[in-house]
Each structure stands twice: as C-alpha cells, then as structure tokens.
Amino acid sequence: MTDIDVAGNLREVLAEIPAGVELVAVSKFHPASIISEAYDAGQRCFGESRVQEFLEKEKSLPSDIRWHFIGHLQTNKVKQIIGKTSLIESVDSQKLLDLIDRESAKAGVVTRVLMQVHVAKEETKFGFYPEELQQYFSDRKFENLTNTHICGIMGMASNTDDIDRVREDFRSIASIYRRIADDTSLGLRGFDILSMGMSGDWKIAVEEGANIVRIGTRIFGEREY
Ligand SMILES: *Cc1c(COP(=O)(O)O)cnc(C)c1O
C-alpha cells in the first residue's frame, strides 16, 4: 500500500468523466503493485511510455488489461511490443507506421494505432505536423497498410498555464481529426478516436471533443523519475 488513495482518486476521476469518454490510467514510472490497486478497483485500461517498463508490467499483471502505448517508440523496439498492446497512441512518423505494419504482418496480428499530431509550441514534442498528416491521408498512403488499423488521432496541448492557449491547441487537434474523419472520400472505417487531455487539462480536452483522456498524476500521484 502507498499513502496515495489510488482507488479513491480513480473513483473521483471516473465520476467526473462523461459517458462515452474512456479513461487511460497512465501508470508509467509507477510499480506494478500500484497498478494492481487500480486494477482491483476495476480499471482495465493503462498507459505506458517506455518499452522495457511496459514489457515487465505486461508480463506480471493480469492478461485482461488493455495496454495503451503512449510514449515515443523507437523503431528498433517496435517488434518487442507487437501483439501486446491494445492501442499504440503515439505513432509519430510514417517510417514508424510502416514498420509497425511490417512487424504486425510477420506476427500475424492487426495493430491498432493513433497518429500523434504536433500542435504544441514546444519543439520537443513528437508527432506529425498537421499539414504532414493531412498530406498522408490525401495521398491515401494508408491504403498500403495491411496489418495496421488507424483508429484516430492523439495530441497534446502546449505545457502552459495559459488555458486559452491550451483550448486553442485542443481545438486545432480536434479540427484535424474531424477533417479526416468527416472526409467520406477517404473511405476510412473505424476512424473514431480522439485522444487528448491529461491530469491538468482533460476537462478542456473533453469540452473540445476528446473521447479518450490519459490521466496519470491525478490518480497515482507524482512520478519519481
Ligand atoms: C505522462 C503522459 C500523460 C499523463 O500525464 P499526467 O499529467 O500525469 O496526467 C498523458 N499523455 C502522455 C502522452 C504522457 O506521456
């Protein structure tokens, strides 16, 4: 046990999240024992951002957990996680996407992914630029994928206390998502996930249309890096 009331925090967060919005409990940097507390309280969807850490937890925790990979994924590590994720939310380049597709074909699985879009002002954040993403779809490059299902978009707002700026970022991400989802000429199926919002800004994200929120600190407390 820890001094953090994981079950209580989880209950409070879930009580606030509207129906139709899924909670990813972001458990990165927290030990399996703390994830178990959330699992015992009913949570089944968790988010991890580092391959090695994810693999260790995945091995030791119940098999009905749905794992979302949410961190930058290095191409040399793709193979290790194929078949073990419910959703890779952080596809940030075409090279990565094509590799996920090849490794999924080799493994005989279909991997569900989100395209990560970069709108935040920090240069350090990964993701496709909006124009790049738009181009990827208008060039119909997704048609080359055989074993990857692009389910939607993931994005992050700028890391700032300026809530107008945060809202503006979420609005941009949502508008990119809508433009692709509503373009019937693309013939996409099951492109219906918009993942945005973290502990500090998820309510704004939901107001702007998010249907997945990724919340860590609010549930598990501060991470020790
Ligand atoms: C760490 C992380 C989160 C969770 O952040 P909190 O502020 O702890 O809720 C959400 N999304 C991504 C991509 C992350 O890396």
Side-chain angles (χ1 to χ4, degrees):
M1 286 298 286
T2 54
D3 46 353
I4 302 271
D5 180 8
V6 170
N9 290 346
L10 189 59
R11 212 165 32 241
E12 286 171 12
V13 169
L14 285 170
E16 286 187 290
I17 293 177
V21 177
E22 179 164 41
L23 170 66
V24 179
V26 175
S27 48
K28 65 187 186 193
F29 293 90
H30 294 289
S33 58
I34 293 186
I35 302 179
S36 291
E37 289 181 35
Y39 180 89
D40 291 342
Q43 180 67 20
R44 290 294 179 272
C45 185
F46 294 90
E48 287 288 333
S49 62
R50 297 187 303 183
V51 168
Q52 207 50 46
E53 183 183 344
F54 161 60
L55 291 172
E56 279 161 26
K57 289 173 178 174
E58 192 267 343
K59 216 165 30 187
S60 69
L61 287 158
S63 61
D64 64 340
I65 288 180
R66 286 174 286 111
W67 295 103
H68 286 207
F69 194 85
I70 62 171
H72 175 60
L73 181 54
Q74 290 169 273
T75 49
N76 64 353
K77 295 188 175 165
V78 166
K79 192 178 172 159
Q80 300 179 59
I81 71 165
I82 292 300
K84 297 185 167 151
T85 57
S86 162
L87 188 64
I88 299 176
E89 297 203 19
S90 44
V91 172
D92 54 15
S93 72
Q94 195 188 325
K95 185 177 165 214
L96 176 61
L97 182 57
D98 291 342
L99 187 62
I100 288 171
D101 195 50
R102 270 203 308 285
E103 291 297 339
S104 301
K106 274 196 226 162
V109 298
V110 171
T111 300
R112 300 169 68 246
V113 305
L114 302 181
M115 304 289 256
Q116 182 174 352
V117 65
H118 176 118
V119 301
K121 59 173 183 267
E122 293 95 285
E123 283 173 12
T124 52
K125 291 223 163 92
F126 291 101
F128 290 87
Y129 287 100
E131 318 78 60
E132 219 184 338
L133 197 60
Q134 195 61 52
Q135 195 67 44
Y136 179 84
F137 284 97
S138 54
D139 289 347
R140 311 187 73 86
K141 294 213 175 119
F142 57 87
E143 290 180 338
N144 300 323
L145 303 171
T146 60
N147 289 69
T148 310
H149 176 186
I150 302 177
C151 302
I153 301 280
M154 184 272 258
M156 279 183 264
S158 302
N159 184 13
T160 167
D161 293 333
D162 177 356
I163 64 166
D164 294 331
R165 171 73 206 210
V166 167
R167 186 178 295 281
E168 209 176 289
D169 285 350
F170 284 144
R171 214 164 262 182
S172 311
I173 299 164
S175 102
I176 296 154
Y177 165 72
R178 285 253 68 87
R179 211 176 310 144
I180 298 165
D182 293 347
D183 184 348
T184 52
S185 77
L186 295 174
L188 295 169
R189 293 217 193 146
F191 187 93
D192 53 16
I193 296 178
L194 177 56
S195 173
M196 47 184 206
M198 324 198 328
S199 291
D201 58 18
W202 72 264
K203 287 180 189 172
I204 304 172
V206 167
E207 283 166 12
E208 297 303 330
N211 54 19
I212 284 185
V213 291
R214 310 174 309 269
I215 300 178
T217 309
R218 172 70 181 83
I219 298 168
F220 298 109
E222 296 290 338
R223 290 176 287 273
E224 285 176 33
Y225 292 103

